[in-house]
Amino acid sequence: MEGGAAAAAQALSRIGLAGLAVMGQNLALNVADKGFAISVYNRTTSKIDETVERARREGQLPLFGQYNPRDFVLSIQKPRSVIILVKAGAPVDQTIAALSEHMEPGDTIIDGGNEWYENTERRISEASAKGLLYLGMGVSGGEDGARNGPSLMPGGSHQAYLNVRDILEKVAAQVEDGPCVTYIGEGGSGNFVKMVHNGIEYGDMQLISEAYDVLKNVGGLSNSELADIFAEWNTGELESFLIEITADIFNVRDEEETGNKGELVDKILDKTGMKGTGKWTVQQAAELSIAAPTIAASLDSRYMSGLKEERQNAAQIFKKEGLEEDFSSPISGVDKKRLIDDVRQALYASKICSYAQGMNLLRAKSVEKGWGLNLGELARIWKGGCIIRAVFLDRIKKAYQRNPGLANLLVDPEFAREMVARQGGWRRVVGLAIQNGISVPGMSASLQYFDTYRRSRLPANLVQAQRDYFGAHTYERVDKEGAFHTEWSKLARKARI
Ligand code: 6PG
Protein backbone atom coordinates (compact mmCIF):
# COMPACT_ATOMS: atom_id res chain seq x y z
CA MET A 1 0.00 0.00 0.00
CA GLU A 2 1.24 3.51 -0.76
CA GLY A 3 2.32 5.47 2.37
CA GLY A 4 -0.51 8.02 2.26
CA ALA A 5 -3.11 5.32 1.85
CA ALA A 6 -1.62 3.38 4.74
CA ALA A 7 -1.89 6.47 6.92
CA ALA A 8 -5.49 6.98 5.83
CA ALA A 9 -6.35 3.36 6.63
CA GLN A 10 -5.21 3.73 10.22
CA ALA A 11 -7.35 5.79 12.63
CA LEU A 12 -6.13 9.36 12.70
CA SER A 13 -3.92 10.50 15.54
CA ARG A 14 -5.01 13.27 17.85
CA ILE A 15 -1.67 15.09 17.57
CA GLY A 16 1.76 14.82 15.92
CA LEU A 17 5.33 15.37 17.06
CA ALA A 18 8.31 15.94 14.79
CA GLY A 19 11.89 15.81 16.10
CA LEU A 20 12.70 12.65 18.04
CA ALA A 21 15.88 13.56 19.91
CA VAL A 22 15.81 13.00 23.67
CA MET A 23 13.15 15.63 24.52
CA GLY A 24 10.91 14.86 21.54
CA GLN A 25 10.98 11.13 22.06
CA ASN A 26 10.11 11.40 25.73
CA LEU A 27 7.38 13.99 25.24
CA ALA A 28 5.77 11.87 22.50
CA LEU A 29 5.79 8.82 24.80
CA ASN A 30 4.27 10.92 27.58
CA VAL A 31 1.43 12.07 25.27
CA ALA A 32 0.77 8.47 24.17
CA ASP A 33 0.94 7.30 27.79
CA LYS A 34 -1.89 9.70 28.65
CA GLY A 35 -4.05 7.94 26.05
CA PHE A 36 -3.77 10.40 23.15
CA ALA A 37 -2.88 8.74 19.86
CA ILE A 38 0.20 10.45 18.47
CA SER A 39 2.00 10.35 15.12
CA VAL A 40 5.76 10.86 15.20
CA TYR A 41 8.23 11.86 12.55
CA ASN A 42 11.97 12.49 12.37
CA ARG A 43 14.29 13.18 9.45
CA THR A 44 16.63 10.36 10.45
CA THR A 45 14.29 7.41 10.28
CA SER A 46 16.13 5.19 12.77
CA LYS A 47 14.83 7.54 15.49
CA ILE A 48 11.27 6.79 14.39
CA ASP A 49 11.85 3.04 14.72
CA GLU A 50 13.51 3.58 18.09
CA THR A 51 10.53 5.59 19.38
CA VAL A 52 7.96 3.13 18.04
CA GLU A 53 9.86 0.29 19.70
CA ARG A 54 9.97 2.16 23.01
CA ALA A 55 6.21 2.77 22.79
CA ARG A 56 5.68 -0.94 22.28
CA ARG A 57 7.94 -1.88 25.19
CA GLU A 58 6.46 0.72 27.51
CA GLY A 59 2.99 -0.84 27.22
CA GLN A 60 1.77 -0.81 23.60
CA LEU A 61 1.27 2.96 23.72
CA PRO A 62 -0.76 4.53 20.87
CA LEU A 63 2.22 6.01 19.03
CA PHE A 64 2.59 5.70 15.27
CA GLY A 65 5.69 6.29 13.18
CA GLN A 66 5.39 8.14 9.88
CA TYR A 67 8.29 8.23 7.47
CA ASN A 68 7.73 11.36 5.41
CA PRO A 69 6.31 14.82 6.17
CA ARG A 70 3.19 14.32 4.04
CA ASP A 71 2.10 11.01 5.60
CA PHE A 72 2.93 12.44 8.99
CA VAL A 73 0.70 15.50 8.56
CA LEU A 74 -2.12 13.56 6.90
CA SER A 75 -2.17 11.01 9.72
CA ILE A 76 -3.40 13.66 12.19
CA GLN A 77 -7.01 14.67 12.94
CA LYS A 78 -8.14 18.12 11.80
CA PRO A 79 -7.64 20.78 12.96
CA ARG A 80 -4.16 19.35 13.17
CA SER A 81 -1.69 20.17 15.93
CA VAL A 82 1.96 19.36 15.42
CA ILE A 83 4.62 19.79 18.08
CA ILE A 84 8.14 20.29 16.76
CA LEU A 85 11.12 19.66 18.99
CA VAL A 86 14.24 20.38 16.97
CA LYS A 87 17.24 22.63 17.63
CA ALA A 88 16.24 26.30 17.95
CA GLY A 89 16.94 28.59 14.99
CA ALA A 90 17.25 27.45 11.36
CA PRO A 91 16.22 23.79 11.96
CA VAL A 92 12.84 25.06 13.23
CA ASP A 93 12.31 27.07 10.02
CA GLN A 94 13.29 24.04 7.92
CA THR A 95 10.92 21.75 9.78
CA ILE A 96 8.09 24.27 9.50
CA ALA A 97 8.71 24.58 5.76
CA ALA A 98 8.63 20.80 5.30
CA LEU A 99 5.45 20.30 7.31
CA SER A 100 3.42 23.41 6.54
CA GLU A 101 3.35 22.48 2.88
CA HIS A 102 0.89 19.74 3.81
CA MET A 103 -1.02 21.61 6.49
CA GLU A 104 -4.30 23.47 6.02
CA PRO A 105 -5.77 26.69 7.40
CA GLY A 106 -6.77 26.17 11.02
CA ASP A 107 -3.92 23.70 11.70
CA THR A 108 -1.34 24.52 14.40
CA ILE A 109 2.41 24.39 14.76
CA ILE A 110 3.77 24.20 18.33
CA ASP A 111 7.49 24.81 18.74
CA GLY A 112 8.65 23.25 22.02
CA GLY A 113 12.29 24.34 21.82
CA ASN A 114 14.25 26.99 23.74
CA GLU A 115 13.63 29.55 21.02
CA TRP A 116 14.38 33.26 20.99
CA TYR A 117 10.97 34.89 21.41
CA GLU A 118 11.32 37.19 18.39
CA ASN A 119 11.82 34.18 16.10
CA THR A 120 8.49 32.91 17.36
CA GLU A 121 6.86 36.27 16.69
CA ARG A 122 8.20 36.22 13.13
CA ARG A 123 6.93 32.66 12.64
CA ILE A 124 3.51 33.56 14.06
CA SER A 125 3.04 36.12 11.31
CA GLU A 126 4.47 33.82 8.61
CA ALA A 127 2.12 31.05 9.76
CA SER A 128 -0.88 33.34 9.90
CA ALA A 129 -0.28 34.39 6.28
CA LYS A 130 -1.03 30.74 5.48
CA GLY A 131 -3.95 30.56 7.88
CA LEU A 132 -1.93 28.46 10.33
CA LEU A 133 -1.97 28.95 14.09
CA TYR A 134 1.23 28.97 16.12
CA LEU A 135 2.40 28.40 19.68
CA GLY A 136 5.92 28.91 21.06
CA MET A 137 5.93 26.60 24.06
CA GLY A 138 8.62 26.52 26.72
CA VAL A 139 9.16 22.96 27.95
CA SER A 140 11.14 22.46 31.11
CA GLY A 141 12.20 19.40 33.03
CA GLY A 142 14.80 17.67 30.90
CA GLU A 143 14.44 14.07 29.79
CA ASP A 144 12.64 12.86 32.89
CA GLY A 145 10.26 15.81 32.92
CA ALA A 146 9.38 15.35 29.26
CA ARG A 147 8.52 11.68 29.88
CA ASN A 148 6.78 11.98 33.24
CA GLY A 149 5.48 15.53 33.53
CA PRO A 150 7.19 18.74 32.41
CA SER A 151 6.25 22.33 33.12
CA LEU A 152 4.80 23.78 29.92
CA MET A 153 4.75 27.45 28.94
CA PRO A 154 2.68 27.85 25.75
CA GLY A 155 2.29 31.32 24.26
CA GLY A 156 0.87 32.56 20.95
CA SER A 157 -2.55 31.74 19.47
CA HIS A 158 -5.16 31.25 22.19
CA GLN A 159 -7.27 29.14 19.83
CA ALA A 160 -4.27 26.89 19.22
CA TYR A 161 -3.92 26.48 22.97
CA LEU A 162 -7.60 25.60 23.35
CA ASN A 163 -7.22 22.93 20.63
CA VAL A 164 -4.63 21.04 22.68
CA ARG A 165 -5.41 22.17 26.19
CA ASP A 166 -6.77 18.77 27.29
CA ILE A 167 -3.57 17.07 26.11
CA LEU A 168 -1.22 19.60 27.69
CA GLU A 169 -3.07 19.47 30.99
CA LYS A 170 -2.69 15.68 31.17
CA VAL A 171 0.92 15.62 29.98
CA ALA A 172 2.20 18.35 32.34
CA ALA A 173 3.45 17.73 35.86
CA GLN A 174 0.63 17.72 38.39
CA VAL A 175 0.79 19.65 41.65
CA GLU A 176 -1.90 20.07 44.31
CA ASP A 177 -3.22 23.25 42.68
CA GLY A 178 -3.41 21.90 39.15
CA PRO A 179 -1.35 20.90 36.12
CA CYS A 180 1.89 22.82 35.50
CA VAL A 181 0.66 24.49 32.35
CA THR A 182 -1.30 27.64 31.61
CA TYR A 183 -1.87 29.83 28.59
CA ILE A 184 0.94 32.33 29.01
CA GLY A 185 -0.13 35.08 26.61
CA GLU A 186 0.19 36.25 23.04
CA GLY A 187 3.22 36.41 20.74
CA GLY A 188 6.51 35.03 21.97
CA SER A 189 5.50 35.23 25.64
CA GLY A 190 5.83 31.46 26.20
CA ASN A 191 9.43 31.48 24.98
CA PHE A 192 10.19 34.63 26.94
CA VAL A 193 8.87 33.12 30.17
CA LYS A 194 10.94 29.96 29.56
CA MET A 195 13.99 32.13 28.91
CA VAL A 196 13.57 33.88 32.27
CA HIS A 197 13.01 30.49 33.91
CA ASN A 198 16.43 29.53 32.55
CA GLY A 199 17.99 32.78 33.79
CA ILE A 200 16.66 31.96 37.27
CA GLU A 201 17.99 28.42 36.79
CA TYR A 202 21.47 29.85 36.11
CA GLY A 203 21.19 31.97 39.27
CA ASP A 204 20.06 29.03 41.41
CA MET A 205 22.88 26.82 40.19
CA GLN A 206 25.49 29.51 40.80
CA LEU A 207 24.20 30.18 44.32
CA ILE A 208 24.22 26.48 45.15
CA SER A 209 27.78 26.16 43.86
CA GLU A 210 28.83 29.09 46.06
CA ALA A 211 27.21 27.44 49.11
CA TYR A 212 29.25 24.33 48.25
CA ASP A 213 32.45 26.39 47.86
CA VAL A 214 32.03 28.08 51.24
CA LEU A 215 31.09 24.89 53.08
CA LYS A 216 33.97 23.01 51.50
CA ASN A 217 36.70 25.62 51.67
CA VAL A 218 35.75 27.58 54.78
CA GLY A 219 34.00 24.83 56.73
CA GLY A 220 36.13 21.94 55.52
CA LEU A 221 33.10 19.73 54.79
CA SER A 222 33.69 16.45 52.96
CA ASN A 223 31.57 15.32 50.04
CA SER A 224 29.65 12.91 52.22
CA GLU A 225 28.95 15.65 54.77
CA LEU A 226 27.84 17.91 51.91
CA ALA A 227 25.51 15.17 50.65
CA ASP A 228 23.92 14.94 54.10
CA ILE A 229 23.58 18.72 54.49
CA PHE A 230 21.93 19.17 51.10
CA ALA A 231 19.64 16.20 51.76
CA GLU A 232 18.65 17.79 55.07
CA TRP A 233 18.09 21.19 53.42
CA ASN A 234 15.84 19.44 50.97
CA THR A 235 13.39 18.71 53.77
CA GLY A 236 12.92 22.37 54.69
CA GLU A 237 12.34 25.77 53.10
CA LEU A 238 15.00 25.08 50.42
CA GLU A 239 13.25 21.92 49.20
CA SER A 240 13.68 21.88 45.43
CA PHE A 241 14.82 19.79 42.49
CA LEU A 242 18.25 21.45 42.26
CA ILE A 243 18.99 20.96 45.98
CA GLU A 244 17.85 17.33 45.71
CA ILE A 245 20.08 16.48 42.75
CA THR A 246 23.00 18.30 44.39
CA ALA A 247 22.73 15.97 47.40
CA ASP A 248 22.79 13.01 45.01
CA ILE A 249 25.80 14.33 43.10
CA PHE A 250 28.01 14.42 46.20
CA ASN A 251 27.37 10.72 46.76
CA VAL A 252 28.33 9.51 43.30
CA ARG A 253 31.70 7.77 43.14
CA ASP A 254 34.06 7.98 40.21
CA GLU A 255 33.64 4.80 38.25
CA GLU A 256 36.75 5.51 36.18
CA GLU A 257 38.85 5.13 39.27
CA THR A 258 40.09 1.78 40.37
CA GLY A 259 40.25 1.10 44.07
CA ASN A 260 36.89 2.70 44.93
CA LYS A 261 38.31 6.05 45.93
CA GLY A 262 36.89 9.51 45.49
CA GLU A 263 33.70 11.11 44.25
CA LEU A 264 33.12 12.02 40.64
CA VAL A 265 32.37 15.68 41.42
CA ASP A 266 36.04 16.26 42.25
CA LYS A 267 37.12 14.93 38.85
CA ILE A 268 34.92 17.24 36.81
CA LEU A 269 36.67 20.09 35.03
CA ASP A 270 35.56 23.44 36.48
CA LYS A 271 34.35 24.94 33.21
CA THR A 272 30.61 25.54 32.76
CA GLY A 273 29.01 25.18 29.35
CA MET A 274 25.86 26.95 28.20
CA LYS A 275 23.45 27.23 25.32
CA GLY A 276 22.53 30.86 25.64
CA THR A 277 19.18 31.39 27.34
CA GLY A 278 20.85 32.85 30.44
CA LYS A 279 22.71 35.32 28.25
CA TRP A 280 19.46 36.38 26.58
CA THR A 281 17.93 36.92 30.02
CA VAL A 282 20.70 39.30 31.04
CA GLN A 283 20.55 41.10 27.68
CA GLN A 284 16.81 41.56 28.08
CA ALA A 285 17.21 42.81 31.64
CA ALA A 286 19.63 45.46 30.37
CA GLU A 287 17.30 46.37 27.49
CA LEU A 288 14.41 46.88 29.88
CA SER A 289 16.45 48.69 32.58
CA ILE A 290 15.76 45.95 35.12
CA ALA A 291 18.48 45.20 37.64
CA ALA A 292 19.21 41.47 37.60
CA PRO A 293 22.62 41.33 39.29
CA THR A 294 22.36 37.78 40.62
CA ILE A 295 21.47 36.36 37.23
CA ALA A 296 24.18 38.51 35.61
CA ALA A 297 26.70 37.25 38.19
CA SER A 298 25.82 33.67 37.34
CA LEU A 299 26.41 34.38 33.65
CA ASP A 300 29.73 36.14 34.33
CA SER A 301 30.78 33.23 36.51
CA ARG A 302 30.17 30.85 33.61
CA TYR A 303 32.31 33.05 31.37
CA MET A 304 35.11 33.20 33.94
CA SER A 305 34.93 29.48 34.57
CA GLY A 306 35.71 29.07 30.88
CA LEU A 307 39.07 30.82 31.30
CA LYS A 308 40.61 27.76 32.93
CA GLU A 309 44.11 28.24 31.54
CA GLU A 310 44.15 31.96 32.27
CA ARG A 311 43.02 31.28 35.81
CA GLN A 312 45.73 28.69 36.29
CA ASN A 313 48.34 31.18 35.09
CA ALA A 314 46.90 33.91 37.29
CA ALA A 315 47.05 31.58 40.31
CA GLN A 316 50.79 31.11 39.66
CA ILE A 317 51.42 34.84 39.23
CA PHE A 318 49.62 35.76 42.44
CA LYS A 319 51.28 32.91 44.32
CA LYS A 320 54.67 34.42 43.45
CA GLU A 321 53.39 37.70 44.87
CA GLY A 322 52.46 35.94 48.09
CA LEU A 323 48.73 35.41 47.51
CA GLU A 324 48.29 31.70 47.69
CA GLU A 325 45.14 29.78 46.83
CA ASP A 326 45.58 27.73 49.95
CA PHE A 327 42.50 26.61 51.76
CA SER A 328 43.82 24.77 54.78
CA SER A 329 40.23 24.16 55.66
CA PRO A 330 38.42 24.26 57.92
CA ILE A 331 39.59 27.81 58.40
CA SER A 332 40.57 28.13 62.05
CA GLY A 333 38.05 29.57 64.41
CA VAL A 334 35.05 28.72 62.24
CA ASP A 335 32.12 27.18 64.06
CA LYS A 336 31.07 24.51 61.58
CA LYS A 337 27.54 24.06 62.84
CA ARG A 338 26.85 27.77 62.77
CA LEU A 339 28.47 28.12 59.34
CA ILE A 340 26.17 25.46 57.90
CA ASP A 341 23.12 27.22 59.30
CA ASP A 342 24.34 30.61 58.07
CA VAL A 343 24.98 29.24 54.57
CA ARG A 344 21.46 27.80 54.47
CA GLN A 345 20.05 31.22 55.31
CA ALA A 346 22.35 32.99 52.85
CA LEU A 347 21.33 30.61 50.09
CA TYR A 348 17.63 31.07 50.76
CA ALA A 349 17.78 34.88 50.96
CA SER A 350 20.00 35.06 47.85
CA LYS A 351 17.59 32.88 45.89
CA ILE A 352 14.62 35.07 46.80
CA CYS A 353 16.50 38.13 45.48
CA SER A 354 17.20 36.27 42.24
CA TYR A 355 13.54 35.26 41.78
CA ALA A 356 12.53 38.86 42.51
CA GLN A 357 14.80 39.98 39.65
CA GLY A 358 13.34 37.40 37.26
CA MET A 359 9.77 38.35 38.16
CA ASN A 360 10.52 42.05 37.68
CA LEU A 361 11.95 41.30 34.24
CA LEU A 362 8.82 39.36 33.32
CA ARG A 363 6.60 42.18 34.47
CA ALA A 364 8.58 44.83 32.56
CA LYS A 365 8.41 42.80 29.34
CA SER A 366 4.72 42.14 29.86
CA VAL A 367 4.06 45.87 30.15
CA GLU A 368 6.17 46.61 27.06
CA LYS A 369 4.47 43.95 24.95
CA GLY A 370 0.99 44.06 26.49
CA TRP A 371 1.12 40.35 27.29
CA GLY A 372 -0.77 40.61 30.57
CA LEU A 373 1.44 38.04 32.28
CA ASN A 374 0.06 36.71 35.56
CA LEU A 375 3.11 36.39 37.81
CA GLY A 376 1.31 34.33 40.46
CA GLU A 377 0.19 31.84 37.82
CA LEU A 378 3.73 31.62 36.41
CA ALA A 379 5.08 30.81 39.88
CA ARG A 380 2.37 28.14 40.14
CA ILE A 381 3.29 26.35 36.90
CA TRP A 382 6.93 26.33 38.03
CA LYS A 383 6.01 24.43 41.20
CA GLY A 384 6.36 21.09 39.45
CA GLY A 385 8.09 19.53 36.47
CA CYS A 386 10.65 22.22 35.72
CA ILE A 387 14.28 22.58 36.72
CA ILE A 388 13.62 25.41 39.19
CA ARG A 389 10.69 23.66 40.88
CA ALA A 390 10.78 24.44 44.57
CA VAL A 391 8.50 24.48 47.55
CA PHE A 392 8.90 28.23 48.05
CA LEU A 393 7.36 28.91 44.63
CA ASP A 394 4.03 28.29 46.31
CA ARG A 395 4.75 31.21 48.61
CA ILE A 396 5.87 33.34 45.65
CA LYS A 397 2.59 32.46 43.95
CA LYS A 398 0.65 33.54 47.04
CA ALA A 399 2.60 36.80 47.33
CA TYR A 400 1.56 37.82 43.79
CA GLN A 401 -1.99 36.59 44.36
CA ARG A 402 -2.22 38.70 47.53
CA ASN A 403 -0.98 41.70 45.62
CA PRO A 404 -0.68 41.44 41.80
CA GLY A 405 0.80 44.94 41.76
CA LEU A 406 3.58 44.00 44.21
CA ALA A 407 6.52 46.26 43.33
CA ASN A 408 9.12 43.68 44.33
CA LEU A 409 8.91 40.25 45.94
CA LEU A 410 11.19 41.54 48.72
CA VAL A 411 8.52 43.91 50.04
CA ASP A 412 5.80 41.31 50.32
CA PRO A 413 5.23 41.30 54.10
CA GLU A 414 6.10 37.58 54.45
CA PHE A 415 9.26 37.74 52.37
CA ALA A 416 10.31 41.05 53.97
CA ARG A 417 10.12 39.39 57.39
CA GLU A 418 12.17 36.44 56.15
CA MET A 419 14.86 38.60 54.60
CA VAL A 420 15.32 40.50 57.85
CA ALA A 421 15.42 37.26 59.84
CA ARG A 422 18.14 35.85 57.57
CA GLN A 423 20.29 38.88 56.98
CA GLY A 424 22.64 38.20 59.94
CA GLY A 425 23.70 34.78 58.65
CA TRP A 426 23.76 36.03 55.08
CA ARG A 427 26.11 38.90 55.93
CA ARG A 428 28.35 36.59 57.96
CA VAL A 429 28.70 34.15 55.06
CA VAL A 430 29.45 36.82 52.45
CA GLY A 431 31.86 38.55 54.86
CA LEU A 432 33.66 35.33 55.71
CA ALA A 433 33.97 34.36 52.06
CA ILE A 434 35.34 37.77 51.09
CA GLN A 435 37.79 37.75 54.00
CA ASN A 436 39.09 34.37 52.90
CA GLY A 437 39.33 35.19 49.23
CA ILE A 438 36.51 32.90 48.13
CA SER A 439 34.46 34.50 45.39
CA VAL A 440 30.72 34.53 46.04
CA PRO A 441 29.49 36.70 43.16
CA GLY A 442 25.90 35.46 43.29
CA MET A 443 25.38 35.70 47.04
CA SER A 444 27.04 39.08 47.25
CA ALA A 445 25.12 40.37 44.20
CA SER A 446 21.91 39.32 45.92
CA LEU A 447 22.96 40.98 49.17
CA GLN A 448 23.90 44.17 47.31
CA TYR A 449 20.56 44.05 45.52
CA PHE A 450 18.77 43.80 48.86
CA ASP A 451 20.85 46.52 50.48
CA THR A 452 20.38 48.84 47.54
CA TYR A 453 16.67 48.26 47.19
CA ARG A 454 15.86 48.74 50.89
CA ARG A 455 17.69 52.06 51.30
CA SER A 456 15.62 55.19 50.92
CA ARG A 457 18.73 57.27 50.22
CA LEU A 458 21.58 56.17 47.97
CA PRO A 459 24.76 57.99 46.93
CA ALA A 460 23.19 58.61 43.50
CA ASN A 461 22.97 62.30 44.44
CA LEU A 462 26.73 62.53 43.99
CA VAL A 463 26.61 60.82 40.59
CA GLN A 464 23.96 63.32 39.53
CA ALA A 465 26.14 66.20 40.71
CA GLN A 466 29.08 64.82 38.70
CA ARG A 467 26.93 64.39 35.58
CA ASP A 468 25.71 67.94 35.90
CA TYR A 469 29.23 69.23 36.60
CA PHE A 470 30.85 67.84 33.46
CA GLY A 471 27.90 67.50 31.11
CA ALA A 472 25.17 69.92 32.26
CA HIS A 473 22.84 66.90 32.43
CA THR A 474 20.78 68.64 35.15
CA TYR A 475 19.50 67.12 38.40
CA GLU A 476 16.36 67.10 40.49
CA ARG A 477 16.20 68.37 44.06
CA VAL A 478 14.78 66.74 47.16
CA ASP A 479 12.99 69.92 48.24
CA LYS A 480 11.37 71.25 45.08
CA GLU A 481 10.18 70.20 41.63
CA GLY A 482 12.07 70.85 38.43
CA ALA A 483 15.33 70.26 36.56
CA PHE A 484 18.31 72.20 37.89
CA HIS A 485 21.72 73.02 36.58
CA THR A 486 24.59 74.49 38.55
CA GLU A 487 27.81 76.19 37.38
CA TRP A 488 29.75 73.79 39.57
CA SER A 489 33.32 74.81 38.68
CA LYS A 490 32.58 78.50 39.10
CA LEU A 491 30.99 77.93 42.51
CA ALA A 492 33.75 75.54 43.53
CA ARG A 493 36.40 78.14 42.64
CA LYS A 494 34.50 80.71 44.66
CA ALA A 495 34.33 78.28 47.57
CA ARG A 496 38.10 77.80 47.44
CA ILE A 497 38.83 81.50 47.84
C1 6PG B 1 14.97 23.02 31.31
C2 6PG B 1 16.35 23.52 31.03
C3 6PG B 1 16.80 23.27 29.64
C4 6PG B 1 18.13 23.94 29.30
C5 6PG B 1 19.28 23.33 30.00
C6 6PG B 1 20.64 23.76 29.46
O1 6PG B 1 14.19 23.84 31.74
O2 6PG B 1 14.67 21.83 31.14
O3 6PG B 1 16.38 24.90 31.26
O4 6PG B 1 15.81 23.78 28.79
O5 6PG B 1 18.35 23.81 27.95
O6 6PG B 1 19.22 23.55 31.35
O7 6PG B 1 20.91 25.11 29.61
P1 6PG B 1 22.42 25.64 29.50
O8 6PG B 1 23.12 24.70 28.57
O9 6PG B 1 22.33 27.02 28.92
O10 6PG B 1 22.98 25.58 30.87
Side-chain angles (χ1 to χ4, degrees):
M1 207 179 343
E2 202 250 317
Q10 165 204 303
L12 295 177
S13 297
R14 174 65 203 282
I15 191 167
L17 188 146
L20 297 173
V22 178
M23 290 298 283
Q25 214 174 93
N26 282 289
L27 192 63
L29 287 162
N30 183 354
V31 170
D33 210 8
K34 298 297 168 335
F36 300 100
I38 184 166
S39 294
V40 297
Y41 168 72
N42 193 72
R43 246 182 22 176
T44 312
T45 53
S46 59
K47 288 278 175 205
I48 305 176
D49 297 332
E50 200 180 298
T51 314
V52 169
E53 174 52 22
R54 269 188 72 187
R56 194 191 58 75
R57 260 189 293 123
E58 293 184 21
Q60 306 288 356
L61 304 177
L63 180 146
F64 308 97
Q66 297 293 345
Y67 291 81
N68 65 63
R70 181 172 178 273
D71 289 352
F72 169 65
V73 170
L74 297 184
S75 70
I76 304 162
Q77 270 175 41
K78 291 187 207 174
R80 303 182 183 95
S81 299
V82 176
I83 302 175
I84 56 181
L85 263 162
V86 297
K87 228 168 126 24
V92 176
D93 289 307
Q94 286 151 15
T95 310
I96 292 172
L99 300 178
S100 62
E101 204 186 313
H102 310 289
M103 295 175 86
E104 292 169 61
D107 290 352
T108 296
I109 294 165
I110 306 170
D111 172 20
N114 274 330
E115 187 55 275
W116 171 237
Y117 84 99
E118 286 179 335
N119 285 346
T120 291
E121 303 207 322
R122 164 176 61 78
R123 291 177 189 134
I124 287 175
S125 55
E126 288 167 359
S128 90
K130 295 181 187 153
L132 299 177
L133 312 180
Y134 198 95
L135 284 174
M137 180 170 75
V139 178
S140 178
E143 185 177 346
D144 187 58
R147 179 66 184 88
N148 300 308
S151 174
L152 300 172
M153 295 150 249
S157 158
H158 190 243
Q159 182 56 51
Y161 173 72
L162 295 177
N163 291 348
V164 290
R165 181 180 179 171
D166 58 335
I167 304 180
L168 300 184
E169 287 185 348
K170 282 266 164 54
V171 160
Q174 308 291 320
V175 287
E176 73 289 347
D177 44 7
C180 294
V181 59
T182 192
Y183 174 68
I184 303 290
E186 289 183 350
S189 59
N191 294 121
F192 195 90
V193 167
K194 176 59 180 14
M195 177 198 80
V196 174
H197 162 284
N198 283 22
I200 294 173
E201 172 186 305
Y202 277 40
D204 271 354
M205 294 167 84
Q206 175 63 26
L207 293 170
I208 291 173
S209 76
E210 291 174 18
Y212 155 59
D213 203 6
V214 171
L215 290 176
K216 178 180 170 172
N217 290 314
V218 177
L221 268 70
S222 67
N223 287 331
S224 80
E225 285 174 306
L226 284 161
D228 292 344
I229 295 302
F230 275 85
E232 189 191 311
W233 286 354
N234 199 41
T235 61
E237 64 188 12
L238 281 171
E239 184 182 337
S240 59
F241 172 70
L242 286 169
I243 296 285
E244 180 191 334
I245 64 165
T246 303
D248 276 354
I249 287 169
F250 289 121
N251 276 326
V252 172
R253 297 201 151 264
D254 181 13
E255 294 200 323
E256 299 281 309
E257 193 152 329
T258 48
N260 195 27
K261 268 198 273 120
E263 288 79 30
L264 181 55
V265 68
D266 294 326
K267 306 289 160 49
I268 296 179
L269 185 67
D270 50 331
K271 247 177 148 173
T272 315
M274 70 178 119
K275 300 203 190 72
T277 41
K279 179 177 170 178
W280 292 343
T281 307
V282 175
Q283 286 172 328
Q284 281 295 301
E287 287 287 339
L288 290 154
S289 308
I290 297 296
T294 312
I295 300 174
S298 69
L299 182 71
D300 289 342
S301 298
R302 288 194 181 199
Y303 291 146
M304 290 186 78
S305 79
L307 307 174
K308 176 72 175 176
E309 245 178 70
E310 272 186 60
R311 289 188 284 112
Q312 281 171 323
N313 290 337
Q316 288 308 315
I317 290 167
F318 287 104
K319 187 174 171 183
K320 275 195 214 123
E321 297 299 327
L323 177 59
E324 193 138 4
E325 192 193 0
D326 170 33
F327 301 119
S328 43
S329 61
I331 285 168
S332 56
V334 169
D335 174 344
K336 206 159 143 177
K337 211 166 156 258
R338 176 163 166 182
L339 178 72
I340 294 169
D341 200 51
D342 282 353
V343 172
R344 177 183 57 75
Q345 300 192 44
L347 181 54
Y348 183 81
S350 298
K351 269 162 153 297
I352 297 303
C353 287
S354 180
Y355 282 68
Q357 295 160 30
M359 288 302 192
N360 284 354
L361 172 54
L362 287 170
R363 172 147 50 210
K365 194 68 181 181
S366 178
V367 169
E368 183 200 77
K369 302 282 290 182
W371 284 336
L373 295 182
N374 178 338
L375 299 184
E377 185 62 356
L378 297 183
R380 185 191 69 75
I381 65 163
W382 288 345
K383 281 174 57 181
C386 65
I387 304 297
I388 65 168
R389 63 186 182 258
V391 158
F392 64 68
L393 275 160
D394 187 60
R395 309 213 354 270
I396 296 181
K397 176 195 89 172
K398 288 184 177 135
Y400 284 106
Q401 279 178 342
R402 269 195 294 277
N403 179 7
L406 188 63
N408 189 304
L409 195 54
L410 301 180
V411 292
D412 168 77
E414 258 192 39
F415 283 108
R417 199 171 314 123
E418 287 188 353
M419 299 306 282
V420 173
R422 281 155 190 74
Q423 61 156 342
W426 193 10
R427 291 183 197 285
R428 277 193 295 276
V429 169
V430 172
L432 204 56
I434 288 174
Q435 249 164 38
N436 289 290
I438 293 170
S439 49
V440 281
M443 282 187 185
S444 50
S446 277
L447 184 54
Q448 300 314 321
Y449 180 76
F450 173 64
D451 277 340
T452 303
Y453 188 68
R454 71 175 176 79
R455 292 180 66 198
S456 60
R457 181 125 176 112
L458 290 170
N461 50 330
L462 184 57
V463 175
Q464 281 298 75
Q466 290 165 336
R467 290 178 68 241
D468 190 53
Y469 190 123
F470 62 66
H473 295 295
T474 74
Y475 56 88
E476 292 173 288
R477 294 183 57 101
V478 292
D479 50 0
K480 52 183 170 186
E481 293 279 312
F484 298 87
H485 171 59
T486 297
E487 294 295 326
W488 292 92
S489 53
K490 217 187 282 166
L491 292 181
R493 247 191 329 268
K494 210 155 98 192
R496 274 199 299 269
I497 25 178

